[in-house]
Amino acid sequence: MAENAPSGGGFIPAGLAALGIEADETELAVMAAVHGLIWPPLSELLALDTAHVEPERCPDLSRAPEP
Amino acid sequence: MSEPLDLGLRAQAAAIAAGEVDAGELLDAALARIEQRNPALNAVVETFPERSREMLAAAPEGPLRGVPLVIKDEWPLPWRAQRFGAAELMVPTAPGESGPYRALRGAGATIVGVGNMHELGAGSTGAVSYYGAARNPWDTERCPGGSSSGPAAAVAGRLAAGAVGADGLGSVRLPAAYCGLTGLKPTFGSSAMAGHHMAPITTLIVSGPLCADAGDCRLLASALYGKELSTGDAAGLRIGVVRDPVSEDVTPEAAGACEEAIEALRAETGGELREIELPDLEAASLAGILIINSEAMGGATPRKLNRLSPELSPIARGTLKYGMLLPAAALAQGQRVRTLMRRRLAALFAGVDVIAWPTVPAPAPPLDAPVVELPSGTHSADQANVRGAALANLTGIPAISMPVGLSDDGLPLALQLQAAWGADELLLDAAEALERANGRRWVDAVPPPAEASAMEA
């Protein structure tokens, strides 16, 4: 697992407990693996400065964005 | 004439229209071949001969009249609800007339079977399914790609000349690439989607054709779009290439085949290559994952997640539960990245007509170890494949995958082209130009005799 990923051993059980979701050991192992893959790029995504991006309001994905 | 079932989609349709092939006999041949070859491929999970014969009997004089086709287990049929490759979905499904069903019926086609798919559409390999893994006709120990695994394996195995898949993060293009087919991901909203259980909410998924070549895709896509897609010549094609891991962190074979194909396409169209900048592709890929996760989680509740079917794979159970933990801020950020990439693409498409890079960074991996070895190291195939596929879904642009070579192991290699919103016909034109340039060498390639023998066994 990447070093900057919060421990799946803490984040995942805490999140599941907060939502009242049960998981067996196999499911927890899957979640830990997914977490290890997704959390580092997710952290990078959250760190991306998009303040300059003016949001599209209800974008029509069949067309180019309005200029 | 070779076996009619070995003809392409256009040729089958033309032969039926000319009276050279009897549509009833072709349907029987397709059913017989499924019975013969499908045990080795597990591409088709259900046939319904009486329903197929009823469709044929009622078929109008459409452009696909009498042609047997496969449809992915992602849409309802009047006699069958979709399973989505899974033991359980988060939302209810029921039999009905889906958009693709109506499109095929209206064009006169016959649905001969339902294609296998990766469980819940959540994988690019086809290695996990409620029905068991589909297998790649080029090597039945290899992944056929996903999530439209069955449609791809069925067409590559010549069980049918065309199939309808769905593409949410590459699910038409990736199996097309692994199986040596041409697969089109339409501009968002262009192709029939009604009846899909995520149709009201998805901003990513489209239906799309998988066929041997671009001409066949054009014919099948015309049915799905509800309008005839015209033919052009792609003259003067301006091809954008990026210097990014999506085109450089690939196997030498994939890189070489794609570079050769891009140059051949440029020469054939009298076009030009332009190096372009398209940063943040990894962020775009993750944005696509976050958005499709949020859309797929609609209907999921902690109560439902605590009662998941034990027949769902552990991977599905774990990822569904993990999906509830993803932070909303990341989804919001993903939406901003979507806007960012849409604007960047709009600007780029003022200067290029298509953007080209390998559809997949490596050929189909083994079913029992779906990982790929890339210059940057070993990656899960899913992780590696999504980074080149997600952009088109995230932004809504069309994309096409076409075969451009074989690896030393005899496995298909593929090139992806992406174009501006609504330029779907140009992608087909460009794919046809490439077919001319390479003498149709790769679209006419078929799985080797050893694998064909395994399918017959």
Side-chain angles (χ1 to χ4, degrees), chain A residues 22 27 35 48 54 56, chain B residues 306 317 322 333 342-343:
Chain A
E22 300 154 7
E27 293 164 357
H35 186 73
L48 196 65
E54 185 180 339
E56 271 188 284
Chain B
N306 285 337
R317 296 198 309 270
Y322 185 77
Q333 182 78 324
R342 278 171 52 76
R343 293 201 173 119

Side-chain angles (χ1 to χ4, degrees), chain A residues 3-37:
Chain A
E3 289 179 8
N4 61 344
S7 167
F11 173 80
I12 293 170
L16 294 176
L19 294 168
I21 298 173
E22 300 154 7
D24 62 27
E25 288 197 4
T26 306
E27 293 164 357
L28 286 170
V30 169
M31 283 186 263
V34 172
H35 186 73
L37 284 174

Side-chain angles (χ1 to χ4, degrees), chain B residues 38-61:
Chain B
N38 196 55
L41 297 177
N42 199 25
V44 173
V45 297
E46 189 171 329
T47 58
F48 19 73
E50 289 311 309
R51 298 287 192 177
S52 300
R53 292 191 180 99
E54 288 169 13
M55 276 192 88
L56 177 57
E61 290 293 335

Side-chain angles (χ1 to χ4, degrees), chain A residues 15 19-22 26-27 31 35 37-39 41-42 45 48 50 53-56 60-65, chain B residues 187-188 203 286 290 302 306 314 317-319 321-322 324-325 330 333 336-340 342-343 383 396 421:
Chain A
L19 294 168
I21 298 173
E22 300 154 7
T26 306
E27 293 164 357
M31 283 186 263
H35 186 73
L37 284 174
I38 205 168
W39 204 263
L42 191 146
L45 177 72
L48 196 65
T50 57
V53 180
E54 185 180 339
E56 271 188 284
D60 179 353
L61 293 162
S62 69
R63 299 176 183 277
Chain B
T187 296
F188 182 77
T203 60
L286 183 57
L290 291 167
N306 285 337
R317 296 198 309 270
T319 51
K321 292 178 180 180
Y322 185 77
M324 292 290 269
L325 307 182
Q333 182 78 324
R336 294 180 84 90
V337 168
R338 167 180 261 178
T339 294
L340 178 68
R342 278 171 52 76
R343 293 201 173 119
Q383 186 185 15
W421 299 263

Side-chain angles (χ1 to χ4, degrees), chain B residues 373-388:
Chain B
E373 302 291 340
L374 303 180
S376 63
T378 303
H379 302 269
S380 79
D382 284 340
Q383 186 185 15
N385 288 338
V386 72
R387 67 186 183 188

